Amino acid sequence: MRSRPTRTRLAGALLAATAAVGLATAGTGTASAETVVPLERCWGVSPNIVDQPFSTARLFVSPEGRGRVVARVRDVSSFWIPTGGYQSVGRLDWHNLTTGRKGTSVNAASIGLYVGGPTFHLTTGPGTVRVTFSAVNRNALWAIPSTACSGTMRVG
């Protein structure tokens, strides 16, 4: 059996390495634009009572350009898989400290196992923006509010 020439083996190795790097970095383009905005910790009892508490301390923020961002609460969860978890209605108040503009966004989300938190589309304008998040969490029987938590983000 003949061995392949060195040049052919090197070209094959280079092609394999290039493909591996391409696969390893595929899909990472938009994730790098997302930033984490720390908040004071928000606490709340799950409306399912015997469940993990409603607790978040950060927003995941992606710029949309021209002073617009998408802010997501992602790190709340419920162990109540058979009932589908619970509903969370989040409120995000914002105040652009640079321009003085203010606003509020409200959105609902289903909280399940490792899934949860509302998403907010904000048009704050560029500048330093103070945000305050709170939620009311409900099941079929009752609603329980969380504490409010605040943080500051920079919007381009």
Side-chain angles (χ1 to χ4, degrees):
M1 189 177 232
R2 281 181 61 191
S3 86
R4 294 188 176 155
T6 302
R7 189 167 45 183
T8 304
R9 287 185 295 190
L10 286 174
L14 181 60
L15 179 62
T18 302
V21 169
L23 288 174
T25 60
T28 60
T30 57
S32 63
E34 183 176 75
T35 59
V36 176
V37 175
L39 302 172
E40 301 155 352
R41 174 114 6 224
C42 291
W43 291 101
V45 176
S46 166
N48 297 327
I49 309 299
V50 181
D51 196 357
Q52 46 185 345
F54 178 87
S55 174
T56 189
R58 57 192 174 166
L59 289 175
F60 295 86
V61 178
S62 300
E64 290 189 312
R66 297 185 186 194
R68 294 187 318 249
V69 296
V70 176
R72 296 173 180 86
V73 175
R74 285 199 221 150
D75 51 359
V76 293
S77 183
S78 173
F79 291 134
W80 283 66
I81 299 168
T83 64
Y86 59 90
Q87 188 78 9
S88 180
V89 178
R91 175 184 170 130
L92 190 66
D93 295 308
W94 58 269
H95 178 200
N96 186 320
L97 302 175
T98 307
T99 66
R101 291 180 63 197
K102 295 180 180 183
T104 298
S105 182
V106 177
N107 200 1
S110 295
I111 308 298
L113 184 62
Y114 306 116
V115 178
T119 297
F120 305 97
H121 296 269
L122 309 174
T123 304
T124 64
T128 302
V129 179
R130 181 88 174 148
V131 292
T132 302
F133 172 75
S134 62
V136 175
N137 303 307
R138 66 186 69 206
N139 61 17
L141 301 175
W142 48 69
I144 301 174
S146 73
T147 60
C149 51
S150 299
T152 304
M153 63 182 173
R154 183 86 183 127
V155 178

